Amino acid sequence: MTENRYDYIIVGAGSAGCVLANRLTEDARHRVLLLETGGSDKSIFIQMPTALSIPMNTKKYAWQFETEPEPFLDNRRMHCPRGKVLGGSSSINGMVYVRGHARDFDEWDSEGATGWHYRNVLPYFRKAETWAFGGNDYRGDKGPLGVNNGNNMQNPLYKAFIRAGSDAGYFETDDYNGTQQEGFGAMHMTVKNGRRWSTANAYLRPAMERDNLTVVTHALVHKVLLDGKTATGVRYEQGGKVHEAKAAEEVILSAGSIGSPHLLQLSGIGKREVLEKAGIEVKHELPGVGENLQDHLEFYFQYRCKQPVSLNGKLDWWNKLKIGVRWILRKDGLGATNHFESCGFIRSKAGVEWPDLQYHFLPAAMRYDGKEAFNGDGFQLHIGHNKPKSRGFVHVQSADPKQAPTIRFNYLQHEADREGFRDCVRLTREIINQPAMDEYRGAEIQPGAEVQTDEEIDAFVRQAVESAYHPSCSCKMGTDELAVVDPETRVHGIRNLRVVDSSIFPTIPNGNLNSPTIMVAERAADLIRGREPLQPSDAPVVMDDQWQTRQRPGQAKRALA
């Protein structure tokens, strides 16, 4: 068994781990080891944005986790892929860039993650990015992460969808990551110069030029090494050999919302009954490890398109070849976008303070994994209720680190979540039936006009919903009995051990998780280094001043909150 010594050991080269590797090695005095189970991200299928469905469904690049039968989804097992490659899930995701609503982070602060309110986190969102249209009080212009709008909504269906939202009485928003999330507008993506701009491209590659960073791939971490209640290093396997690495300062888990709780449990940190059932010695009882698991669900609302403008006409082998060759030669065209170029964020009902429903608009009718393309022209909306009340868990099954944990989200367990999806169906139909869509809207393919009653909608949703691939909150940050880390991201009761990734979110934000995960890592890096936090922002947030009494604003005056 070989042994090496470092100042910091980071487990997981994903959305958070790559950020930490970069920021911690800015100080040349810090020797950092970054461990990743996967390998290189240089595949064309990772780097080409339009090929996003391939790495997500490839064992080489993603853990192909599957849930236990979900009792409120007719006992379906749900696919839960997680990145297993440099860049982690930022190398296999849909590249959608959504920070979440300002109130999501105020909610974190109120849940016990003191200091993680919107005023404090906005500067770290700005620090992380370079927004293609220039910096301002909300957007950054000097950060590693390139963000743009893909092909700038050249397909007419994108803008028709935005106009339909306006026709239905909702806001149009110039920047849902800026002043105002609520409304319909252009969607943003982590693409730069036509390439997927993962955290591997944005953060890790520049850091790998530094002598004080060591990156080890194909390394499966077995456990965190403990000396009493102090983390001293990790044990990992590479090429059939077992190694130990020691950390003089800290061990930081950035293995994601499945990997981080699983690794804590393998190390003897977690709920006593879960560890004992798996035959693992309890080193530190921490009941919240693996609990509070949350995710977003979504389904596809599909329509025929009356005009031949959708992407369905580009799915034959000849057009795919042309798109691929153009991307290889020029890094532009349809190969340089994820195709989700317009979107919407709305509130499901009066009395909901900030948006809890999210739309991704796609000018094609197909599955997210690229399969089962509709025969003919069509378009679809990915729609989901994004503030679920249902909670699940990640539980270790055995002391063998190669055995996947038990995962169950308990999707739609809570009646409020089922009600939210009924709102999704009814509000979407109203939006798509606005005049702006008249020249494009054909017959409803899915759910189908016959699905009308609560019971019919519920039955459709149980069979049609899929994960939006946003597992989170399984090592929540806070101070209550289920909190795993404190507001400094330190594991309660264990010295020199932190968790920094989406697992520490107290609640799931209204949006995709890559951006807030990067923000968490940026802020955590300052906490780890003992640096003064960035100056809080006073940038105002636009809200509907009558949210308590109406579901949409119509043409009413907006209010600054």
Side-chain angles (χ1 to χ4, degrees):
M1 181 182 297
T2 59
E3 180 181 307
N4 295 288
R5 294 184 178 275
Y6 301 87
D7 295 302
Y8 295 98
I9 298 173
I10 304 166
V11 179
S15 297
C18 290
V19 175
L20 292 174
N22 184 298
R23 296 309 187 189
L24 295 183
T25 56
E26 287 177 333
D27 187 335
R29 296 172 298 176
H30 295 157
R31 294 185 65 232
V32 177
L33 172 64
L34 178 63
L35 297 171
E36 169 56 44
T37 308
S40 171
D41 65 331
K42 292 184 178 179
S43 166
I44 188 175
F45 299 118
I46 291 176
Q47 298 300 324
M48 184 193 298
T50 196
L52 62 95
S53 67
I54 297 174
M56 182 180 294
N57 292 282
T58 302
K59 288 183 178 181
K60 180 179 179 180
Y61 302 124
W63 299 98
Q64 300 296 324
F65 293 122
E66 200 173 57
T67 71
E68 294 297 292
E70 291 288 347
F72 305 95
L73 294 185
D74 295 341
N75 290 316
R76 294 164 57 203
R77 290 183 181 269
M78 303 293 282
H79 186 213
C80 184
R82 296 286 83 204
K84 188 177 64 173
V85 62
L86 292 178
S89 291
S90 76
S91 289
I92 68 165
N93 68 2
M95 292 157 283
V96 174
Y97 182 83
V98 182
R99 294 173 175 177
H101 195 278
R103 289 291 190 263
D104 289 321
F105 306 104
D106 295 341
E107 182 178 70
W108 287 11
D109 184 76
S110 69
E111 290 265 333
T114 307
W116 290 83
H117 50 75
Y118 182 66
R119 291 184 65 243
N120 276 0
V121 304
L122 176 55
Y124 287 96
F125 280 119
R126 294 182 69 248
K127 179 182 181 180
E129 76 167 352
T130 292
W131 173 228
F133 302 103
N136 54 41
D137 288 347
Y138 303 89
R139 307 307 297 259
D141 59 1
K142 298 180 177 64
L145 195 68
V147 182
N148 64 21
N149 179 238
N151 282 333
N152 299 315
M153 300 192 296
Q154 293 180 26
N155 190 298
L157 287 167
Y158 293 122
K159 293 179 180 177
F161 173 64
I162 295 171
R163 291 196 304 272
S166 180
D167 288 348
Y170 297 98
F171 289 133
E172 287 191 30
T173 177
D174 293 333
D175 183 358
Y176 63 83
N177 284 312
T179 312
Q180 171 191 333
Q181 187 190 63
E182 185 171 359
F184 289 74
M187 182 162 259
H188 312 155
M189 62 189 74
T190 49
V191 172
K192 181 178 180 180
N193 297 328
R195 295 174 61 202
R196 173 194 291 273
W197 213 240
S198 65
T199 55
N201 284 333
Y203 286 89
L204 183 58
R205 286 208 162 74
M208 289 174 73
E209 300 297 320
R210 300 170 185 155
D211 293 337
N212 57 333
L213 175 63
T214 300
V215 180
V216 179
T217 56
H218 305 293
L220 177 66
V221 177
H222 289 189
K223 63 168 63 176
V224 176
L225 300 174
L226 298 173
D227 180 4
K229 300 291 185 179
T230 301
T232 60
V234 299
R235 181 175 298 158
Y236 67 95
E237 180 180 337
Q238 185 197 41
K241 295 181 180 180
V242 176
H243 307 267
E244 287 189 355
K246 295 299 181 72
E249 297 292 336
E250 293 184 342
V251 174
I252 307 164
L253 304 186
S254 296
S257 290
I258 307 301
S260 287
H262 187 220
L263 190 50
L264 286 173
Q265 292 165 345
L266 287 168
S267 307
I269 303 170
K271 184 185 291 187
R272 178 174 295 276
E273 51 265 41
V274 172
L275 301 182
E276 290 179 344
K277 184 179 179 182
I280 296 172
E281 179 186 354
V282 180
K283 299 290 186 68
H284 179 64
E285 188 168 7
L286 199 56
V289 174
E291 307 303 314
N292 193 49
L293 180 65
Q294 299 168 46
D295 190 17
H296 289 147
L297 286 173
E298 65 179 14
F299 69 87
Y300 315 141
F301 220 117
Q302 295 180 324
Y303 287 86
R304 295 179 182 270
C305 185
K306 294 190 293 187
Q307 296 194 31
V309 295
S310 78
L311 296 179
N312 289 78
K314 305 290 187 181
L315 296 176
D316 60 279
W317 71 268
W318 175 240
N319 274 292
K320 285 184 176 180
L321 178 62
K322 289 194 294 183
I323 291 168
V325 169
R326 176 172 175 173
W327 184 85
I328 291 169
L329 296 176
R330 297 170 49 180
K331 299 296 186 294
D332 65 3
L334 292 177
T337 174
N338 63 10
H339 306 293
F340 294 108
E341 295 185 20
S342 64
C343 63
F345 299 88
I346 65 174
R347 294 176 292 111
S348 58
K349 58 179 62 65
V352 174
E353 186 180 1
W354 68 90
D356 58 340
L357 306 184
Q358 178 182 3
Y359 290 101
H360 300 65
F361 184 85
L362 183 69
M366 66 180 74
R367 291 172 55 88
Y368 194 85
D369 60 11
K371 299 177 182 177
E372 300 183 11
F374 170 63
N375 185 21
D377 277 282
F379 60 86
Q380 69 190 38
L381 304 89
H382 295 215
I383 172 65
H385 176 247
N386 272 7
K387 297 297 288 185
K389 294 185 180 294
S390 302
R391 301 289 184 265
F393 56 80
V394 177
H395 287 170
V396 65
Q397 292 196 69
S398 81
D400 180 0
K402 296 178 182 177
Q403 182 171 357
T406 298
I407 304 168
R408 194 167 85 191
F409 288 92
N410 287 318
Y411 293 119
L412 301 187
Q413 179 183 39
H414 201 287
E415 172 60 23
D417 300 346
R418 299 191 288 272
E419 184 178 327
F421 273 92
R422 294 173 203 142
D423 295 331
C424 287
V425 172
R426 295 190 168 109
L427 293 172
T428 302
R429 281 180 171 148
E430 182 183 3
I431 292 166
I432 297 302
N433 278 286
Q434 296 301 315
M437 297 300 296
D438 283 351
E439 61 182 304
Y440 304 111
R441 181 187 60 254
E444 181 181 311
I445 303 167
Q446 181 178 290
E450 70 281 2
V451 177
Q452 295 290 337
T453 67
D454 285 357
E455 292 76 16
E456 290 166 345
I457 292 173
D458 288 351
F460 163 77
V461 168
R462 287 195 302 272
Q463 282 297 310
V465 288
E466 299 181 3
S467 171
Y469 310 122
H470 300 161
S472 53
C473 311
S474 53
C475 295
K476 70 172 289 190
M477 177 165 45
T479 56
D480 62 39
E481 65 278 1
L482 285 182
V484 175
V485 302
D486 68 11
E488 301 280 311
T489 73
R490 301 171 298 201
V491 174
H492 286 294
I494 300 290
R495 290 179 293 274
N496 300 343
L497 180 61
R498 296 186 196 243
V499 181
V500 179
D501 55 33
S502 63
S503 71
I504 71 172
F505 296 0
T507 56
I508 193 167
N510 179 46
N512 308 66
L513 300 193
N514 190 232
S515 173
T517 301
I518 293 168
M519 175 277 291
V520 162
E522 284 277 17
R523 190 166 188 268
D526 277 356
L527 295 173
I528 294 165
R529 295 174 65 181
R531 302 176 70 181
E532 283 295 316
L534 298 180
Q535 187 69 25
S537 170
D538 290 321
V541 178
V542 173
M543 308 280 287
D544 181 4
D545 62 350
Q546 297 183 45
W547 62 268
Q548 293 174 309
T549 58
R550 65 187 180 196
Q551 182 263 331
R552 71 194 76 179
Q555 300 303 313
K557 180 182 177 181
R558 296 179 293 180
L560 290 178

